[in-house]
Amino acid sequence: MDQHRSHNPNSSYQNPQSAYRRHRDAGGRNHCENKRSRPNQQQQHHHHHQSGPAPNLSTRKELYERDFPVYKQPVEIGCFSLDSERRFFNDGRQMRYYVEPERNPNFDLRDGYKDRYIKRDGNVKEKLDHILRWILANKSKLCSKGAAASPCALDFDFVTWRGHLTKLLTTPYETREGWLLAVTRFKGTLYISEVETEAARREQENRTERHEEMMYWGYKFEQYTCADDVHSLPDPGGVVNTNEAFCTVVQTRLADHRLLFSGEVDCRDKDPKAPAPPACYVELKTSAEICTPKQRSNFHRFKLLKWWAQSFLPGVPRVVAGFKDDEGVVVNVDTFPISKISQLIKNEHNCWKPTVCMNFCCDFLSFVKQIAIEDHPSVVYLFSSEPRRDVTFSVHRDSQYSFLPHWFVEEMSSRPDAHHQP
């Protein structure tokens, strides 16, 4: 049974009944559906299937400063692994175990970059494919009750990656990067998959060697602090292969949005008395060492926002951070409980607020439900965000943006007993 904790956005997930009633307005709608910005006249040609003008969605943070929405305690309903060649396995074989380092470990993060590093091909766009494989492998336990004789319908409003939701949470505070999210409604469920923006493509093409090496440093820190099993120690002399991944799959509810999402997990607490997943998971990060008040302020305002959003969503309780100098040496390690991050930032002037993040995400999902009406695997509603601009959308049929593969559509469309037919 999942536990529900008190009404504190940073430490907790909420009792759905009491909070849900409290967040409904006189019209009976959830508050996360109320805020809408003025329609953009240039977008109207996209809205011909709507009754009345369909507005864009504002990203102005002051519109989202209201009660924290109901967010149910995330529950892990499965996991999967990707091996050294990026092959999918419906199990936890890639799980690693956290080994706490010394407070000042002096880890050399440059070690192995030239000769023990296998880097995943960033040009291969996997979209939702791994999550879709997991859904097919676990179809029998996911399909709606009473649907045994008909094609599978999932008991979820949304299926996506945790990283896409993280981008939504941070959108009201984003000043540099936009995003494109493709949405397809299929058998009643809305699938959300990211599309690479032109700016992101250019950034990847133009990365400096220094930037590439600093990306490696994060993976190297994981190698110093993770063991392959409960009884072993980390092996910093081994190969860093970024194809390998362990991913949790969780279900939860944000207001009236039933969510199924997956996210990569770095490692778990190896204490046999540790709580069940996701509460035993640990997120590992690296960051520049903090030497001045300005650096500390920037860390609170920008980095902690992303760390909080990424871990709060799946219910990961703590981030362990290695603070590194300019030479890539970890000079100290600190732990940040997700429940305490709001305390850390409360004295920061004009800082981010968890309630704004969650309310914007909630409103965006309501907006998507309102817009993405047509239920067809090759119809894509493309939602676009640029910093300090409204979220807009366009509709595409049989286009380059289609992302649900034929193998998934066919399997989900077949009757459960179809493969037993002669």
Side-chain angles (χ1 to χ4, degrees), residues 122-134:
N123 294 314
V124 177
K125 304 304 175 194
E126 296 171 329
K127 303 174 183 174
L128 295 186
D129 288 8
H130 298 309
I131 303 174
L132 303 181
R133 285 192 179 90
W134 182 87

Side-chain angles (χ1 to χ4, degrees), residues 172-348:
Y173 298 102
E174 185 55 64
T175 58
R176 291 190 296 190
E177 295 175 355
W179 48 253
L180 287 170
L181 292 174
V183 177
T184 290
R185 184 184 285 269
F186 176 56
K187 298 199 175 298
T189 295
L190 292 150
Y191 294 81
I192 304 178
S193 180
E194 189 170 23
V195 173
E196 186 176 42
T197 64
E198 190 59 33
R201 189 188 62 76
R202 281 198 307 271
E203 187 275 329
Q204 185 178 336
E205 277 182 0
N206 298 325
R207 272 183 202 152
T208 62
E209 180 66 16
R210 167 80 172 177
H211 188 166
E212 291 281 358
E213 183 174 356
M214 288 176 75
M215 290 175 66
Y216 167 80
W217 291 358
Y219 296 109
K220 185 65 183 181
F221 180 64
E222 294 175 20
Q223 192 185 54
Y224 276 112
T225 51
C226 293
D228 287 340
D229 62 68
V230 181
H231 304 292
S232 65
L233 292 172
D235 176 21
V239 172
V240 169
N241 186 331
T242 61
N243 288 294
E244 297 174 353
F246 168 82
C247 295
T248 180
V249 182
V250 302
Q251 67 175 26
T252 184
R253 179 163 62 78
L254 173 56
D256 57 350
H257 308 304
R258 297 166 302 164
L259 309 178
L260 173 74
F261 60 87
S262 178
E264 190 170 344
V265 171
D266 292 328
C267 55
R268 62 159 292 159
D269 189 328
K270 64 178 182 175
D271 185 340
K273 299 191 191 73
C280 61
Y281 291 149
V282 180
E283 178 67 29
L284 300 172
K285 295 290 187 190
T286 59
S287 193
E289 64 177 326
I290 297 169
C291 303
T292 69
K294 178 67 174 170
Q295 288 171 340
R296 183 167 300 281
S297 176
N298 284 341
F299 173 73
H300 287 165
R301 292 164 62 86
F302 304 112
K303 196 144 274 193
L304 281 185
L305 165 59
K306 295 216 161 87
W307 292 6
W308 172 82
Q310 181 185 23
S311 289
F312 180 77
L313 280 164
V316 173
R318 59 180 163 144
V319 173
V320 173
F323 290 91
K324 61 192 190 296
D325 64 18
D326 286 342
E327 302 302 310
V329 174
V330 175
V331 291
N332 75 289
V333 174
D334 211 349
T335 297
F336 295 86
I338 296 304
S339 62
K340 303 279 174 57
I341 284 180
S342 64
Q343 288 297 106
L344 276 179
I345 65 168
K346 73 176 192 303
N347 295 325
E348 244 2 287

